[in-house]
Amino acid sequence: MVLFLCFLFFLFSSATACDRCVHQTKVAYFSQASALSSGACGYGSLALSFNGGHLAAGVPSLYKDGAGCGACFQMRCKNPTLCSGRGTRVILTDLNHSNQTDFVISSRAFMALSNQGKGQDILKLGVVDVEYKRVPCEYKNQNLAVRVEESSQKPNYLAVKVLYQGGQTEMVAMDVAQVGSSNWGYMSRNYGAVWDTSRVPNGALQFRFVVTSGYDGKWIWAKNVLPADWKPGMIYNSGVQITDIAKEGCSESECGDGSWK
C-alpha cells in the first residue's frame, strides 16, 4: 500500500506543471486533418468528429507519453492584422516530433485563428506566432466512453480506447474488474488513449480510473460499462462524466485575462 501511494504521489507531482499558464510558441498546420486522426493517440477516424475537426499534434511535453491525449487548448495568434482576439480551441490527438513548434494543427483550426475573411491569407504564412493555454474539455451531452479495440480477444486480451474525457484532467491509471467484484486488475497504457490487459475478468466489466488535475488527483469509478457479451469495435458508455479543473496557483498575467474564458 505504501508503494502504491508513493506511485500515485509521483504521478500527481508529474502533473504539476502550470497547465493554465499562457505559453508562447509558433504553430504550423497540416493540410489534411486525416494526418492528425491517424496519429499517436490512436483515435483513428473518430478524431475527425472531435471539436469540429480542430485537432492538434503536441510536442512530447504536451503529449506526456499519451496522458495528454484528448487535452484541450485555447490558442490565438499574435498578428493583429490577420488574427482574431478570440482564437480557437484544439484537441490534442497526435504527437508532434518537430522542435520548431509546440503544435501542428489542422488547417481548419489554423484558419480559425484569423479574422473573418482572412483564412486564406493566414494559410499562406504557413507558420504563425501564438500564445496558448490549456482549458477544460466540455462534452455536455456525452459521458466518458470506452471503445473496445479490434485486437481484443475474449477471454485472453482486452484493449480499450478512452473517449470524451472531460475537464482539465489526465488519466494516469486504469483498472478493470468483474461487476460486483473487488478483485481489481491493473491495465497498462498500450499507447496514446489505448489501455490493455491480458488478464480479462469473466462477465460484465467495471472500470476505475485515476485522473489528475493540476496537483490534485482522484479515483473515478464506472460501475457497469462492458456487458458480458462485449464486442470489439463497439463503444460503451461509462455512465460518468469528468469535469475536474486543474488546481494550481498562477497569477492573472500567467493564466491570461478574461478574454481567454
Side-chain angles (χ1 to χ4, degrees):
M1 183 66 176
V2 173
L3 288 176
F4 180 70
L5 291 175
C6 290
F7 171 67
L8 287 185
F9 176 79
F10 169 76
L11 292 176
F12 297 161
S13 62
S14 67
T16 57
C18 182
D19 266 344
R20 293 190 298 147
C21 293
V22 177
H23 304 275
Q24 313 291 325
T25 189
K26 293 180 182 293
V27 165
Y29 73 92
F30 282 115
S31 58
Q32 294 186 353
S34 58
L36 293 166
S37 68
S38 59
C41 288
Y43 293 125
S45 59
L46 284 171
L48 298 176
S49 66
F50 296 165
N51 195 40
H54 290 204
L55 311 177
V59 290
S61 61
L62 298 172
Y63 178 75
K64 300 179 180 179
D65 293 324
C69 288
C72 294
F73 297 87
Q74 186 76 17
M75 61 176 62
R76 58 187 180 189
C77 61
K78 300 169 70 175
N79 183 322
T81 303
L82 291 178
C83 304
S84 73
R86 183 178 60 181
T88 192
R89 181 173 297 197
V90 297
I91 293 181
L92 196 148
T93 60
D94 198 1
L95 173 63
N96 173 24
H97 296 281
S98 170
N99 60 4
Q100 304 298 313
T101 66
D102 282 6
F103 293 99
V104 179
I105 64 178
S106 61
S107 58
R108 183 175 297 182
F110 199 81
M111 292 177 68
L113 295 171
S114 68
N115 285 315
Q116 188 173 1
K118 298 289 186 179
Q120 292 301 317
D121 293 330
I122 200 171
L123 284 180
K124 291 177 183 177
L125 293 178
V127 179
V128 293
D129 292 310
V130 300
E131 53 187 8
Y132 73 90
K133 71 172 186 175
R134 188 165 176 191
V135 294
C137 296
E138 297 179 357
Y139 299 103
K140 295 180 180 178
N141 300 313
Q142 181 69 63
N143 289 329
L144 183 75
V146 296
R147 182 187 187 276
V148 178
E149 298 295 270
E150 281 79 4
S151 57
S152 299
Q153 294 183 343
K154 191 187 300 183
N156 300 315
Y157 181 70
L158 173 65
V160 298
K161 180 185 303 172
V162 179
L163 303 170
Y164 314 123
Q165 183 177 334
Q168 192 173 328
T169 59
E170 292 164 10
M171 190 170 293
V172 297
M174 184 174 179
D175 292 343
V176 62
Q178 185 179 44
V179 171
S181 171
S182 60
N183 185 22
W184 291 94
Y186 72 90
M187 300 185 73
S188 302
R189 188 187 300 278
N190 186 302
Y191 72 99
V194 179
W195 296 76
D196 66 0
T197 181
S198 58
R199 302 177 181 89
V200 186
N202 294 320
L205 302 180
Q206 60 179 329
F207 296 97
R208 65 181 182 182
F209 316 91
V210 176
V211 297
T212 63
S213 51
Y215 57 72
D216 198 12
K218 69 178 183 181
W219 285 101
I220 291 178
W221 275 263
K223 296 183 179 180
N224 197 337
V225 184
L226 298 191
D229 62 344
W230 54 263
K231 295 177 175 61
M234 297 295 293
I235 296 175
Y236 296 94
N237 188 341
S238 74
V240 299
Q241 286 187 338
I242 299 177
T243 58
D244 297 71
I245 307 298
K247 297 179 179 180
E248 57 194 2
C250 62
S251 66
E252 182 174 308
S253 61
E254 290 173 323
C255 289
D257 55 34
S259 64
W260 280 90
K261 293 181 179 179

